[in-house]
Amino acid sequence: MRAVAQVWLRAFAGAALLGLGVMACSPERVVGNAKLPPDIPDPTAVQTPAGAVSAYHGALAHFHSAFGGEGSDFVSASGILADELQVEQIGVPIGVFGTNMRLDSRTMPEVLNPGFNERGDAYGSVYAALQKVRGQVAMARGLLTHYAPDSLQALSGHLYVLEGYAEIFLADLYCSGIPLSTVDFDGDYTLRAGSSTSDVYRLAVTLFDSAITLAADSARIVNVARVGKARALLALAEYDQAAQAVAEVPDDFRYAVSYVNRPGSRSFAYFGPGVARPYPVADREGENGLDYISSHDPRTAATPIAATTYDGRPIYFPNKYATTGDSPIVLASGIEARLIEAEVALQSGDAGWLTTLNALRTDGTYDTQPDAQDSTSVDTLWHAGSGGTAGLAPLADPGTPAARLDLLFRERAFWLFLTGHRQGDMRRLIRNYGIEPGRVYPTGPYPGGAGHYGTDVTAPIVGESSNPYFHGCSSRSA
Amino acid sequence: MRIAHVRKSMNAFGIAALLVWYAGPVAGQTTAPTGGRATVQPAATSGAPDAAGAGGDLQSAAPMQPLERIVSLHLRNVPLNDALREINKQARLGLTYTPRVVPVNKRVTIEQDSITAGEALDSVLRGTGTKAIVTKAGTVALVRGERRSERVDSAAGVVMGRVADAADDRPLAGAIVTVEGTELRAVTTDSGWYGIPKVPAGMRTLVVRFLGYQSAKQPVLVVDNQATRTDFALRMAMSRLQETVTTATGPQRRVELGNDITVIDADSIVATQPVTSVTSLLEGRVPGLSVLHSSGAPGDPSRLRLRGLGSILRSNDPIIVVDGIRIYSEQSSDRSNNLAQTGFTTPSPIDQIDPSSIETIEVLKGPSAATLYGQDAANGVIVITTRKGREGPPRWTMSATRGVTTMPGRYPVGYFGWGHKLADNSPILCAVRDPTCAQDSLSRFQLLNDPDLTVLGHGERTALTAGVSGGSATLTYSVTGNFSDEMGLIRLPDVEAARYMHLRGTAPPGWMRHPQRYTTWGAATRLGAQLGSKADVSLTAMFQRGSQRRSSLEHQLDGLMGTYFNRATGQYYVANPGSFYGYDINDQLLSDYFRRVEDVATTFTNGVNATWRPRSWLTASADAGLQLLNRDDESLLPPGMPTSFVGDTVGSIGIGYGQSLMRTINVRTTASAPLPHGFHFRVALGANYTNTSTRDLSITGRGLSPGTSAISGARDIDRPAQGAFDITSFGWYVEPSISHDRFWLSTGLRIDGGSTFGTQVKLPSFPKLSASYLISDEPFFPFKRIFNTLRLRVAYGQAGTWPGPADRLRLFQQQSRYIGSTSVNTLELQSVGNTHLKPERSKELEGGFDADILGDRLSVSLTGYRKTRYDALMSLPVPASVYGGGSILKNVGVIRNTGLELSLDVQPVRTDAVTMSTRLHLSRNRNRVLSLAKDIGRFCTSGSSSGCVAAGYPLLGVWARPIVGYADANGNGVITADEVLVADSLAFMGEQLPSYETSLHTSLSFFRSAVTVSGSFAYQDGLTQTSYAAGNNVIFSQGLNDPGAPLGAQAAAVATPLTSYGAIQTVSTLRFTSLAIAYNVAPSMARRLGARSLSIALQGTNLGLWTDYRGKDPNVSATATGNGVVDRNALPTPRTWQIRVSASY
C-alpha cells in the first residue's frame, strides 16, 4: 500500500510540475498580437484626409459605373426595359430569357432560380450598383466629416447629388418597396424595410436640397442638384415646385459623366473584343415603341454595324455614343430643365409649352457623332442659341391633350435619348397621367418568334432575401 | 497487497520469480522489449542457479533483452561448449555456466539464421536439463532445471508456457490465461510468458483470452510438484481491439478509447490492391468518409469529408498528421487551383505522400476523437505513420507496375431533329415545337462515343517502388523510394491534328496530342534510435516531387458532349449554353486545345520525435517538424496558335509561385500510477504549437515573341496577384484517465488561442470524455458463447474550426480608377468585418460497440454519432441595400450531422485450402441546418460552394423551382412552354453528399495464399446532382427534338430557361471499384530466383458502374474549391488495368 501511495504521489508531483510549465505558456502569450498578412491593407490607414478624398473618388467612380458604365448600368438596363434598346445576339437566333431577355420582354419573376439558369439579368446587378453608390457615399461623407479639413466639406455636397440621383434611378427602375439601408462609415450597418416609390423620390428631393446648401459655391453642382430635384418632383407630380427648381438652370448647362476607353472605365456603349452581346437601338419595339431609327431624327440617329442578327436583320448602334466606350453621357442639362418647364406649362394649360419645345429644336444645335465607329469622343452638348438643329423643324400643336402629352414625351424621349430618362418617363405616363401600360410599353409578339412581351413595368428587387425587413415589392405597378 | 500475500506463501525461489512476472504488468514494468522471440524458460522452472551471483537476482528476471538478440549459427557436430561460446560471442550475453551443470562435451548441431539467443540456447541445451536465466546485471547464466521441482509446492503443480501470435510467433503481452473452473489466472509478460502456480493436479483446461485474438482452450495434465508447459498460438480476431493507435497524447490501445478509430494497414493494402494515392487508399475503407472526385485526370484532387459537411464557409477538410507533424492539408481552398490563374485544379496535398512509404493510417472522424488535436480538428484527423525499420538484416522490397487506362461506358446520346424551313425549304435544325419548320428526320448522336472524333483515347501508367529496412537493437532504418508516370487518356483527334498541320505546317507537339501527364518521384526515410534503456528518437524525412500537365483540350469535353457533326456538310452544330435554345455552327471540331498548364509541387517534410521514460510511470515526449511545399505553376498559350479568338493569337503566359510552410512543436508528458482496489490512474499533459504560412504570387502576360515561354518575353504584363496567409495557434491540454481491468474512462480539456479570433473573443476551451467497457470479460457476462469479445464505448468531445486570417477585419481596398480621363486612387469598402468572430465549435457524441461473434468468424462494429456544429461561420449575404451586397462573416449557424456506421468482417470459409474474408462498411449520414441566426431566412450562395442554406434542410442543399404540372392541353403530343407550370418559389431537391454509402471488400485466398482474388464494390445513394449538360445542351435534348419523347422529358426541356429542375437528379450508383488477382510464387521457387518472396498480380479499377443517372458519371463532380458539387462534365474516372510484380529480398 505504501508503495502504491509513493508511486501515486510521484506521479502527481511530476504531472503537476509539468502542468505548471505548460500553463505558463498561455495561448495568448504564444500567439501574441496577430500580424496581418502582407497583402491585407491596414484598416486604420483610411482615417486621414487623403483617405476621405479617396473615398470621395470611390463614390464618383461607383456612380460613373452604375450610371452608364460598361457592364451593369442604369442607362442601358432602363433602356432595355423601355423602348430604347433591344436584346439581340449577333449570328444566333434570339431566344427567350437569355441575358437580359427577361428585362427586355418585361417578364421578370420576383423569385429567381439559383444555379446555372440564373443568368443575372442586368436589373439585379444594376440594383446592387446603385445601392453601392449609396453606401460608398455614406462612407465617404463620414470620413470627410471626421477626418478632412473644412476646406473639403464642399465635397459632401457633391456626394449628396450622387446619392440623390442614385435614389431617383432606383425609384425609376424598380418596384415600390425599395429598402434604403444605411452604412456607418466606421461601424455597422442598419437594415431598412422597403420604401415606396414616392418616398424614395421624396428622399431624393431632400438630398438635393442638402447638396444645394453644401455646394453653394459650385454652380455646376448646384445646377445638377436643381435638375435632379426637379426630376424627382416631376415624378411626384409636384409640377410647380419642379419648374421652380430648374428656373435658374441655364440653357447651356450640362453635367456629363465621362468615360474613357480603358477596361472598367468604358461606357455601356462599348463594343469590342470579348463583347458578345451589344444592345442595339430599338425601333418601334413591340407595338408601342418609338421610331428612334426610322424617324431619322438626328438626336437618335443610329448606324448599322457590319454584323447582323441571326435572320439577317441589321443591328443598329447609336451615333450618339462611340463604340469605343469613351463618350460622355449627360446626367442633367439645360435641355432637361427646359423640358421640365414645358411639361409644367402643359400641365397648367400654358401655351408656352410648345414654344419651349420649339425653342430647343430651332434655337440651338445638338452635336451628334455622325459615324458610330469613330473612336473620337462624342459631344452631346446642346449649343443654346446657335441657330437650330438640322432636321428639326418647329412642331405644330396637335390640338388634343392626349396628343400634346404624347408629343411632349416624344420630345423628351428624343432629347434625352439613352440618358436614363425614358423608363421614368414611361412610368410617369402611367402613374401621373393615367395612360394604360399597354399603350406605353412594348407589347405583342417578342422578336424571333419566342413568346410575347409580358406586363412588367418595373423590375423586381433582387438581393434582399437576407434582409428580414424586406418582404418583396409592395407594388409592381408604375 | 497481492504481491505481499503471495510472497508469504512462496518460499521457492522460482515460484517467487513467477509472481514477479505476474505482478510485472500491474506495476507497469516495461523494460522487456515486446518484439522478437524469447524461449528461455521461466525461472520458475529453474532451480537455484549454480552460477555465482545469480541467486538473489531472479526477481529481475523479467528483462529478457539479452536472450532476444539475434544470432546466426552454422555448427555441425561441435562440442556444446563451442556452441555456447559462439552464441555468447554473437549475442554478447556475458554467459556464465559450470561444467558441473552443463555437459560441455556433448556434441550438438545447429544451423539457423536470424534466431534469438534464447532460441539458440534452447536448442543446444535441449536434453541437458539445463536452462538459461538472465541475472539482474543483465548477463545470462545456465542453471540446472531439475532442482526447481524440488522446491515446488508439493500440493500442486505449475502450469507455464508462452502465448504468441499464430501468424508470426510474436509474443503477446497481457493475455489472460485461466484454469477453467478455478479462480487461478495469470497475465502474460512482455515476452509472452505466463505461469500459474498451485494448480491442483489432474486434467485441467487452460483458457487464454486476449483482446483482438480468438480465444483458445487446451487440456493439460497437471502433475504434483512439476511444471507443465503449455504454449498457445492465437489467431487474430477481426476486431483488432488490441491494436495500438496513435493519439494526441501518445500511443494507446484501441480498446482503451471510447471512439471508433479506423485503422488502415496501408502496408498490406498497398502490397495487394491497386492503390495509386493516399486518397485511393482511404476510399471505401473508412465508414463515414466520403470521397468527392473533381475529375479523372491523372493526379487530380479529391475532397475528403468525414461524417458530412459541418461548415459552409470554412474548410471541411480533415487535418493531416504525419509521424506527429502537421502537414499542409487544404483540399478545398483557392490554392487547390493552379496558381497561374488557369482554372485548372492541382493535385491534393495529401496525395503528395507516397502510399508505399506508409505503414498505417488512422482516421479520427470527429471532435469526440480529435479534441486534443486542436482548434481546427473538428473535421477529423488523418494520422499517418510512415514505415518503421525492424531489427534485423536489410530487407529489400521492390515492385513494378504497368497499366493502361480507358474510359468505361458510353456518353449519353443527344438528339438532332433535322428539318427544313417552311418559308424557303432550307435545311435547319428543327425542334418539334418550332412552327417555322418541319422535321424530316431525327438523329441520335454523341460525338464523344465516335472513335474518329472523340478526344478520349487510352492512357498508360508506370510505377516503381523500392524500399529497404532493417537495423540493430539500437538503430533501425527504413528507406522507400517511388516513381510513377501516368499519361491521361485525353488525346487530340486525328482530324484536328491534320487541321493543325494544314494551318501551321507542322505537326502538333506531343503535349498537344496527349496533354495529360502526371509524374511523381520521391523518397521517404525513417530512422529510429534507442538511446539507452530510457529514451528513443526517431527522425522522419520525406521528399516528393509531382509534376502535372494539362491542356485546354480537356475543357472541350463540355462542348463536345453537345456537338452534332453533320458529315454531309462537314459542319459542327454546337449547343450555345448562353442561350438555351441557341447553337453555333462551326467548321472545326475543336476551338481550343492550345493552352498548356503545368503544376510542379515539391514537398519536404522533416520531423523528429523524442521519447524519454525516466521512470516506469512517467513518459515525456516531443515532436518538432517542418513541412515545406513549393508550387511552381505555369500556363502557356504559344503565339500564333489558330484560335478562333483573334486576341489569343498573340500568345499569353501565366506563372504562379506558391509556398506553404507548416511548423509544428508538440510536447507532452504522461504519468501513471496505481490506485487502490485495482484502479489505475493516468494523466497526460501537453501543448502544441502550429503555424501555417503561405505565400503565393502570380503574373500573367500577353503578346509573346515566337519561341518564348517566359514571362519576360511577354509584351504586356498584367497586374500581378499576391496572396498570403498566416495562421498561428497554440493550445495546451490535460487528459486524466482512470481504468480498472476492463473499464477505461478518459476525460480531457484543451484550451486554445489563435491569431484569427476576433479581438472580443475569450480563449475557447474544448472538453472531452470517453468510456470503454470490455463487458465480455466480466464473469457475469451471460453471452460468452455468442460473443468472444464485446466492447461497449461512448465518447463526447468538442473541437473547433478557426476563421480565416482577415475574416474579423473591416477592410478597405485601394483601386486606381478613371474619372473622366484622370486616373485617381479610390478607397472602397472591401469587407464589413466582425470583431466578435470566434472559431466554429463542434460537439460530438458517439457511441457503439465492437464484437467478435460466432467463433470469431464475424466481427461487428457499430457506431452512432451526433455531431453538432455550433457558431458555424457563415458568409451571410449582406442585403444589396447595404453597399450593394457582399457578405459578412458571422457565427450564426447550428448544423447537425447524425449517422450510423457499421462495419462487418466475416470469414465464412477458413480452411488451409481456401480462406474467404469479407468486409462490409455501411454508413448513413443525415445533415441538417438546425437553425440560423434570428431574422435570417433561406439564402443561396453561388460560386464554388453553391447551394442554399435554410433551417431544417441539409447544408448547401440543391433547390430549384419545381415543375408542378404540365399537360398537353391541345392534344398534339407536344408540350409547349405555356403548357408547363413552374412553381414561383424554390423547393428543396436534395443534398450534395450521399446519404448512404456502402463498400464491400471480398478476398478469396487459395492454397495457403498462393493465389488470392479480391474485389470491391461501392454503393452510394442520396447524392443530388445538377447536370450542366442537361441545361447547356437542351437544344439537343430528346424533349425538344424527339416527337415521341415522354411528356415529362418535353416539359423539363421547355422549362429549362425557367428552372434547372429538369437537370437535377438524386442518384444512386453501384460501382465495381476494384479487382485484384495475385499469384504468390512458392517460396522455394522465389528463392531460386534470388528473392525471399515474389508475387505477380493483375489489378483493375473502376470496372463497372450501374446508375440511374442520366449524365455520364455522377461521382466526378466536386468543385476544386469550396463545397460545391455539380456535374460540369469534367473528365470521369477512367478504368484501369495493370500488372504488378512485387518481390522482397
mmCIF file with all atom_site columns, all heavy atoms in Angstrom, chain B residues 822-838:
data_model
loop_
_atom_site.group_PDB
_atom_site.id
_atom_site.type_symbol
_atom_site.label_atom_id
_atom_site.label_alt_id
_atom_site.label_comp_id
_atom_site.label_asym_id
_atom_site.label_entity_id
_atom_site.label_seq_id
_atom_site.pdbx_PDB_ins_code
_atom_site.Cartn_x
_atom_site.Cartn_y
_atom_site.Cartn_z
_atom_site.occupancy
_atom_site.B_iso_or_equiv
_atom_site.pdbx_formal_charge
_atom_site.auth_seq_id
_atom_site.auth_comp_id
_atom_site.auth_asym_id
_atom_site.auth_atom_id
_atom_site.pdbx_PDB_model_num
ATOM 1   N N   . THR B 1 822 ? -8.937  61.159 -66.049 1.00 0.00 ? 822 THR B N   1
ATOM 2   C CA  . THR B 1 822 ? -7.988  61.233 -64.948 1.00 0.00 ? 822 THR B CA  1
ATOM 3   C C   . THR B 1 822 ? -8.037  59.954 -64.117 1.00 0.00 ? 822 THR B C   1
ATOM 4   O O   . THR B 1 822 ? -9.112  59.489 -63.735 1.00 0.00 ? 822 THR B O   1
ATOM 5   C CB  . THR B 1 822 ? -8.327  62.433 -64.030 1.00 0.00 ? 822 THR B CB  1
ATOM 6   O OG1 . THR B 1 822 ? -8.427  63.591 -64.840 1.00 0.00 ? 822 THR B OG1 1
ATOM 7   C CG2 . THR B 1 822 ? -7.253  62.630 -62.973 1.00 0.00 ? 822 THR B CG2 1
ATOM 8   N N   . SER B 1 823 ? -6.878  59.450 -63.865 1.00 0.00 ? 823 SER B N   1
ATOM 9   C CA  . SER B 1 823 ? -6.799  58.279 -63.004 1.00 0.00 ? 823 SER B CA  1
ATOM 10  C C   . SER B 1 823 ? -6.655  58.740 -61.563 1.00 0.00 ? 823 SER B C   1
ATOM 11  O O   . SER B 1 823 ? -5.786  59.560 -61.248 1.00 0.00 ? 823 SER B O   1
ATOM 12  C CB  . SER B 1 823 ? -5.595  57.421 -63.407 1.00 0.00 ? 823 SER B CB  1
ATOM 13  O OG  . SER B 1 823 ? -5.439  56.370 -62.492 1.00 0.00 ? 823 SER B OG  1
ATOM 14  N N   . VAL B 1 824 ? -7.496  58.237 -60.717 1.00 0.00 ? 824 VAL B N   1
ATOM 15  C CA  . VAL B 1 824 ? -7.440  58.631 -59.308 1.00 0.00 ? 824 VAL B CA  1
ATOM 16  C C   . VAL B 1 824 ? -7.421  57.368 -58.448 1.00 0.00 ? 824 VAL B C   1
ATOM 17  O O   . VAL B 1 824 ? -7.846  56.300 -58.883 1.00 0.00 ? 824 VAL B O   1
ATOM 18  C CB  . VAL B 1 824 ? -8.665  59.486 -58.899 1.00 0.00 ? 824 VAL B CB  1
ATOM 19  C CG1 . VAL B 1 824 ? -8.661  60.807 -59.634 1.00 0.00 ? 824 VAL B CG1 1
ATOM 20  C CG2 . VAL B 1 824 ? -9.957  58.724 -59.153 1.00 0.00 ? 824 VAL B CG2 1
ATOM 21  N N   . ASN B 1 825 ? -6.905  57.556 -57.249 1.00 0.00 ? 825 ASN B N   1
ATOM 22  C CA  . ASN B 1 825 ? -6.958  56.459 -56.290 1.00 0.00 ? 825 ASN B CA  1
ATOM 23  C C   . ASN B 1 825 ? -8.282  56.499 -55.551 1.00 0.00 ? 825 ASN B C   1
ATOM 24  O O   . ASN B 1 825 ? -8.683  57.552 -55.054 1.00 0.00 ? 825 ASN B O   1
ATOM 25  C CB  . ASN B 1 825 ? -5.811  56.574 -55.278 1.00 0.00 ? 825 ASN B CB  1
ATOM 26  C CG  . ASN B 1 825 ? -4.499  56.160 -55.891 1.00 0.00 ? 825 ASN B CG  1
ATOM 27  O OD1 . ASN B 1 825 ? -4.460  55.277 -56.758 1.00 0.00 ? 825 ASN B OD1 1
ATOM 28  N ND2 . ASN B 1 825 ? -3.432  56.801 -55.476 1.00 0.00 ? 825 ASN B ND2 1
ATOM 29  N N   . THR B 1 826 ? -8.930  55.389 -55.515 1.00 0.00 ? 826 THR B N   1
ATOM 30  C CA  . THR B 1 826 ? -10.191 55.343 -54.785 1.00 0.00 ? 826 THR B CA  1
ATOM 31  C C   . THR B 1 826 ? -10.052 54.402 -53.599 1.00 0.00 ? 826 THR B C   1
ATOM 32  O O   . THR B 1 826 ? -9.243  53.479 -53.618 1.00 0.00 ? 826 THR B O   1
ATOM 33  C CB  . THR B 1 826 ? -11.334 54.838 -55.679 1.00 0.00 ? 826 THR B CB  1
ATOM 34  O OG1 . THR B 1 826 ? -11.060 53.490 -56.044 1.00 0.00 ? 826 THR B OG1 1
ATOM 35  C CG2 . THR B 1 826 ? -11.479 55.690 -56.923 1.00 0.00 ? 826 THR B CG2 1
ATOM 36  N N   . LEU B 1 827 ? -10.843 54.688 -52.609 1.00 0.00 ? 827 LEU B N   1
ATOM 37  C CA  . LEU B 1 827 ? -10.854 53.854 -51.411 1.00 0.00 ? 827 LEU B CA  1
ATOM 38  C C   . LEU B 1 827 ? -12.250 53.286 -51.268 1.00 0.00 ? 827 LEU B C   1
ATOM 39  O O   . LEU B 1 827 ? -13.218 54.049 -51.184 1.00 0.00 ? 827 LEU B O   1
ATOM 40  C CB  . LEU B 1 827 ? -10.500 54.701 -50.194 1.00 0.00 ? 827 LEU B CB  1
ATOM 41  C CG  . LEU B 1 827 ? -10.399 53.970 -48.879 1.00 0.00 ? 827 LEU B CG  1
ATOM 42  C CD1 . LEU B 1 827 ? -9.156  53.120 -48.844 1.00 0.00 ? 827 LEU B CD1 1
ATOM 43  C CD2 . LEU B 1 827 ? -10.373 54.969 -47.737 1.00 0.00 ? 827 LEU B CD2 1
ATOM 44  N N   . GLU B 1 828 ? -12.337 51.985 -51.257 1.00 0.00 ? 828 GLU B N   1
ATOM 45  C CA  . GLU B 1 828 ? -13.660 51.363 -51.234 1.00 0.00 ? 828 GLU B CA  1
ATOM 46  C C   . GLU B 1 828 ? -13.713 50.289 -50.156 1.00 0.00 ? 828 GLU B C   1
ATOM 47  O O   . GLU B 1 828 ? -12.694 49.709 -49.793 1.00 0.00 ? 828 GLU B O   1
ATOM 48  C CB  . GLU B 1 828 ? -13.959 50.747 -52.612 1.00 0.00 ? 828 GLU B CB  1
ATOM 49  C CG  . GLU B 1 828 ? -13.939 51.778 -53.724 1.00 0.00 ? 828 GLU B CG  1
ATOM 50  C CD  . GLU B 1 828 ? -13.876 51.159 -55.101 1.00 0.00 ? 828 GLU B CD  1
ATOM 51  O OE1 . GLU B 1 828 ? -14.312 50.006 -55.221 1.00 0.00 ? 828 GLU B OE1 1
ATOM 52  O OE2 . GLU B 1 828 ? -13.382 51.819 -56.023 1.00 0.00 ? 828 GLU B OE2 1
ATOM 53  N N   . LEU B 1 829 ? -14.908 50.061 -49.711 1.00 0.00 ? 829 LEU B N   1
ATOM 54  C CA  . LEU B 1 829 ? -15.100 49.051 -48.683 1.00 0.00 ? 829 LEU B CA  1
ATOM 55  C C   . LEU B 1 829 ? -14.962 47.668 -49.315 1.00 0.00 ? 829 LEU B C   1
ATOM 56  O O   . LEU B 1 829 ? -15.560 47.381 -50.342 1.00 0.00 ? 829 LEU B O   1
ATOM 57  C CB  . LEU B 1 829 ? -16.507 49.207 -48.091 1.00 0.00 ? 829 LEU B CB  1
ATOM 58  C CG  . LEU B 1 829 ? -16.769 48.570 -46.738 1.00 0.00 ? 829 LEU B CG  1
ATOM 59  C CD1 . LEU B 1 829 ? -15.849 49.140 -45.686 1.00 0.00 ? 829 LEU B CD1 1
ATOM 60  C CD2 . LEU B 1 829 ? -18.220 48.788 -46.356 1.00 0.00 ? 829 LEU B CD2 1
ATOM 61  N N   . GLN B 1 830 ? -14.137 46.855 -48.685 1.00 0.00 ? 830 GLN B N   1
ATOM 62  C CA  . GLN B 1 830 ? -13.938 45.517 -49.217 1.00 0.00 ? 830 GLN B CA  1
ATOM 63  C C   . GLN B 1 830 ? -14.732 44.479 -48.414 1.00 0.00 ? 830 GLN B C   1
ATOM 64  O O   . GLN B 1 830 ? -15.333 43.578 -48.969 1.00 0.00 ? 830 GLN B O   1
ATOM 65  C CB  . GLN B 1 830 ? -12.450 45.159 -49.200 1.00 0.00 ? 830 GLN B CB  1
ATOM 66  C CG  . GLN B 1 830 ? -12.130 43.847 -49.863 1.00 0.00 ? 830 GLN B CG  1
ATOM 67  C CD  . GLN B 1 830 ? -10.634 43.571 -49.848 1.00 0.00 ? 830 GLN B CD  1
ATOM 68  O OE1 . GLN B 1 830 ? -9.867  44.248 -49.167 1.00 0.00 ? 830 GLN B OE1 1
ATOM 69  N NE2 . GLN B 1 830 ? -10.220 42.583 -50.594 1.00 0.00 ? 830 GLN B NE2 1
ATOM 70  N N   . SER B 1 831 ? -14.685 44.607 -47.115 1.00 0.00 ? 831 SER B N   1
ATOM 71  C CA  . SER B 1 831 ? -15.473 43.700 -46.288 1.00 0.00 ? 831 SER B CA  1
ATOM 72  C C   . SER B 1 831 ? -15.866 44.408 -45.010 1.00 0.00 ? 831 SER B C   1
ATOM 73  O O   . SER B 1 831 ? -15.163 45.294 -44.527 1.00 0.00 ? 831 SER B O   1
ATOM 74  C CB  . SER B 1 831 ? -14.679 42.426 -45.959 1.00 0.00 ? 831 SER B CB  1
ATOM 75  O OG  . SER B 1 831 ? -13.556 42.759 -45.183 1.00 0.00 ? 831 SER B OG  1
ATOM 76  N N   . VAL B 1 832 ? -16.980 44.006 -44.479 1.00 0.00 ? 832 VAL B N   1
ATOM 77  C CA  . VAL B 1 832 ? -17.528 44.706 -43.315 1.00 0.00 ? 832 VAL B CA  1
ATOM 78  C C   . VAL B 1 832 ? -16.748 44.368 -42.047 1.00 0.00 ? 832 VAL B C   1
ATOM 79  O O   . VAL B 1 832 ? -16.516 45.201 -41.195 1.00 0.00 ? 832 VAL B O   1
ATOM 80  C CB  . VAL B 1 832 ? -19.018 44.348 -43.144 1.00 0.00 ? 832 VAL B CB  1
ATOM 81  C CG1 . VAL B 1 832 ? -19.590 45.033 -41.921 1.00 0.00 ? 832 VAL B CG1 1
ATOM 82  C CG2 . VAL B 1 832 ? -19.785 44.752 -44.376 1.00 0.00 ? 832 VAL B CG2 1
ATOM 83  N N   . GLY B 1 833 ? -16.302 43.112 -41.924 1.00 0.00 ? 833 GLY B N   1
ATOM 84  C CA  . GLY B 1 833 ? -15.548 42.707 -40.734 1.00 0.00 ? 833 GLY B CA  1
ATOM 85  C C   . GLY B 1 833 ? -16.444 42.370 -39.562 1.00 0.00 ? 833 GLY B C   1
ATOM 86  O O   . GLY B 1 833 ? -17.632 42.707 -39.544 1.00 0.00 ? 833 GLY B O   1
ATOM 87  N N   . ASN B 1 834 ? -15.869 41.657 -38.612 1.00 0.00 ? 834 ASN B N   1
ATOM 88  C CA  . ASN B 1 834 ? -16.641 41.248 -37.442 1.00 0.00 ? 834 ASN B CA  1
ATOM 89  C C   . ASN B 1 834 ? -15.677 41.009 -36.288 1.00 0.00 ? 834 ASN B C   1
ATOM 90  O O   . ASN B 1 834 ? -14.897 40.058 -36.302 1.00 0.00 ? 834 ASN B O   1
ATOM 91  C CB  . ASN B 1 834 ? -17.423 39.963 -37.762 1.00 0.00 ? 834 ASN B CB  1
ATOM 92  C CG  . ASN B 1 834 ? -18.320 39.540 -36.623 1.00 0.00 ? 834 ASN B CG  1
ATOM 93  O OD1 . ASN B 1 834 ? -18.234 40.073 -35.513 1.00 0.00 ? 834 ASN B OD1 1
ATOM 94  N ND2 . ASN B 1 834 ? -19.186 38.588 -36.892 1.00 0.00 ? 834 ASN B ND2 1
ATOM 95  N N   . THR B 1 835 ? -15.731 41.896 -35.315 1.00 0.00 ? 835 THR B N   1
ATOM 96  C CA  . THR B 1 835 ? -14.791 41.774 -34.198 1.00 0.00 ? 835 THR B CA  1
ATOM 97  C C   . THR B 1 835 ? -15.204 40.691 -33.202 1.00 0.00 ? 835 THR B C   1
ATOM 98  O O   . THR B 1 835 ? -14.500 40.448 -32.239 1.00 0.00 ? 835 THR B O   1
ATOM 99  C CB  . THR B 1 835 ? -14.680 43.110 -33.451 1.00 0.00 ? 835 THR B CB  1
ATOM 100 O OG1 . THR B 1 835 ? -15.992 43.489 -33.015 1.00 0.00 ? 835 THR B OG1 1
ATOM 101 C CG2 . THR B 1 835 ? -14.113 44.187 -34.348 1.00 0.00 ? 835 THR B CG2 1
ATOM 102 N N   . HIS B 1 836 ? -16.340 40.084 -33.416 1.00 0.00 ? 836 HIS B N   1
ATOM 103 C CA  . HIS B 1 836 ? -16.806 39.045 -32.492 1.00 0.00 ? 836 HIS B CA  1
ATOM 104 C C   . HIS B 1 836 ? -16.631 37.650 -33.072 1.00 0.00 ? 836 HIS B C   1
ATOM 105 O O   . HIS B 1 836 ? -17.232 36.701 -32.586 1.00 0.00 ? 836 HIS B O   1
ATOM 106 C CB  . HIS B 1 836 ? -18.282 39.279 -32.147 1.00 0.00 ? 836 HIS B CB  1
ATOM 107 C CG  . HIS B 1 836 ? -18.501 40.543 -31.382 1.00 0.00 ? 836 HIS B CG  1
ATOM 108 N ND1 . HIS B 1 836 ? -18.406 40.618 -30.022 1.00 0.00 ? 836 HIS B ND1 1
ATOM 109 C CD2 . HIS B 1 836 ? -18.780 41.798 -31.807 1.00 0.00 ? 836 HIS B CD2 1
ATOM 110 C CE1 . HIS B 1 836 ? -18.631 41.858 -29.627 1.00 0.00 ? 836 HIS B CE1 1
ATOM 111 N NE2 . HIS B 1 836 ? -18.862 42.590 -30.688 1.00 0.00 ? 836 HIS B NE2 1
ATOM 112 N N   . LEU B 1 837 ? -15.821 37.542 -34.074 1.00 0.00 ? 837 LEU B N   1
ATOM 113 C CA  . LEU B 1 837 ? -15.641 36.233 -34.696 1.00 0.00 ? 837 LEU B CA  1
ATOM 114 C C   . LEU B 1 837 ? -14.947 35.267 -33.749 1.00 0.00 ? 837 LEU B C   1
ATOM 115 O O   . LEU B 1 837 ? -13.990 35.619 -33.077 1.00 0.00 ? 837 LEU B O   1
ATOM 116 C CB  . LEU B 1 837 ? -14.780 36.357 -35.956 1.00 0.00 ? 837 LEU B CB  1
ATOM 117 C CG  . LEU B 1 837 ? -15.474 36.554 -37.286 1.00 0.00 ? 837 LEU B CG  1
ATOM 118 C CD1 . LEU B 1 837 ? -14.487 36.308 -38.394 1.00 0.00 ? 837 LEU B CD1 1
ATOM 119 C CD2 . LEU B 1 837 ? -16.658 35.635 -37.426 1.00 0.00 ? 837 LEU B CD2 1
ATOM 120 N N   . LYS B 1 838 ? -15.408 34.079 -33.719 1.00 0.00 ? 838 LYS B N   1
ATOM 121 C CA  . LYS B 1 838 ? -14.771 33.045 -32.915 1.00 0.00 ? 838 LYS B CA  1
ATOM 122 C C   . LYS B 1 838 ? -14.761 31.759 -33.728 1.00 0.00 ? 838 LYS B C   1
ATOM 123 O O   . LYS B 1 838 ? -15.434 31.668 -34.760 1.00 0.00 ? 838 LYS B O   1
ATOM 124 C CB  . LYS B 1 838 ? -15.503 32.858 -31.598 1.00 0.00 ? 838 LYS B CB  1
ATOM 125 C CG  . LYS B 1 838 ? -16.994 32.677 -31.734 1.00 0.00 ? 838 LYS B CG  1
ATOM 126 C CD  . LYS B 1 838 ? -17.670 32.764 -30.378 1.00 0.00 ? 838 LYS B CD  1
ATOM 127 C CE  . LYS B 1 838 ? -19.174 32.744 -30.534 1.00 0.00 ? 838 LYS B CE  1
ATOM 128 N NZ  . LYS B 1 838 ? -19.876 32.923 -29.267 1.00 0.00 ? 838 LYS B NZ  1
#
